[in-house]
Amino acid sequence: MAADARLMAQVDPATTVLLTVECQQGVVGESSALPELAAAARDSGALGNVARLVDAAHGSGVQVVHALAVRRPDGRGASRNARLFRAAERLPVQQVIGTPAAQVAAPVAVADGDFVVRRLHGLSPLAGTDVDALLRNLGCRTVVITGVSANVAIPNSVFDAVNAGYVAVVPEDAIAGVPAAYVPELVRHSLALVATVTRTDDVVACWKGPQRPAESAGASPGQS
């Protein structure tokens, strides 16, 4: 597949970070606390496409950041100001730091050069975490956002990235939510208004094709 020139310019490996959101065993793995979401991620092919994007990123020098939602064993520091958080406290599988549930799920690979960022609170991997500072220090201009869920964390990630000055790219076949019919509606009526919506194959083609020189990409957000 030939790479699209506009998309290739946006996802230049020198200035792009691939962000995987909550692709952890306790969320999308076989022992998920949210089996309906886990099934949607697997059955739609979204989890496999996240793995494909991670592999392509590793092969082309794109920085990968894995954002995980976790809890302390004692629950301290966790948010309780929404129904979602209180319901999560009662789930049979808890995303406790150091347990398998809080580890990146297969088939998504974690390379030595990847960053794994864990958050104890909130809905977004960018707000109140190390991710924004990491992106700026890495010279990032574009964030390719993948993972789950399209119901909460993915739109939060997209809006936060755009508000922080980044270009957001969303491979629509590498995100999942429930019900499955909701995902294309979210993409069409919300995410497409603020992000570049594309497909996994298109991003992979860009990363496998000829790349622009890094110096042509410009400065990262907040830099001159």
Side-chain angles (χ1 to χ4, degrees):
M1 175 183 293
D4 176 81
R6 178 174 175 271
L7 182 62
M8 182 179 288
Q10 288 186 327
V11 299
D12 182 346
T15 54
T16 297
V17 166
L18 173 64
L19 179 68
T20 76
V21 179
E22 296 181 29
C23 292
Q24 56 202 77
Q25 292 188 36
V27 177
V28 295
E30 293 185 1
S31 58
S32 170
L34 303 165
E36 186 179 2
L37 177 60
R42 293 193 304 268
D43 296 346
S44 67
L47 185 59
N49 284 330
V50 174
R52 288 178 58 211
L53 286 162
V54 168
D55 289 345
H58 289 158
S60 60
V62 173
Q63 180 66 58
V64 179
V65 176
H66 305 278
L68 308 181
V70 301
R71 294 175 60 85
R72 286 169 48 108
D74 60 10
R76 294 179 63 196
S79 299
R80 300 198 74 255
N81 58 331
R83 259 180 72 192
L84 176 66
F85 302 131
R86 296 192 295 274
E89 292 179 344
R90 300 191 296 271
L91 292 174
V93 178
Q94 294 291 308
Q95 317 298 319
V96 176
I97 299 169
T99 67
Q103 297 174 357
V104 176
V108 179
V110 181
D112 289 341
D114 293 358
F115 288 94
V116 179
V117 179
R118 298 168 177 86
R119 77 177 192 275
L120 290 170
H121 57 81
L123 301 170
S124 168
L126 273 79
T129 73
D130 292 338
V131 171
D132 183 36
L134 286 174
L135 297 180
R136 294 181 188 278
N137 290 344
L138 292 164
C140 176
R141 294 189 65 190
T142 297
V143 187
V144 179
I145 297 170
T146 66
V148 296
S149 74
N151 304 80
V152 178
I154 293 299
N156 267 267
S157 303
V158 172
F159 297 145
D160 285 349
V162 173
N163 283 332
Y166 301 101
V167 173
V169 172
V170 180
E172 61 183 332
D173 56 349
I175 63 172
V178 289
Y182 169 72
V183 180
E185 295 301 312
L186 167 76
V187 170
R188 178 182 177 186
H189 297 293
S190 294
L191 302 189
L193 302 179
V194 296
T196 297
V197 175
T198 184
R199 307 278 295 177
T200 295
D201 284 347
D202 296 324
V203 178
V204 170
C206 288
W207 289 343
K208 287 185 176 179
Q211 302 297 337
R212 297 182 306 131
E215 59 267 20
S216 67
S220 63
Q223 295 180 342
S224 59

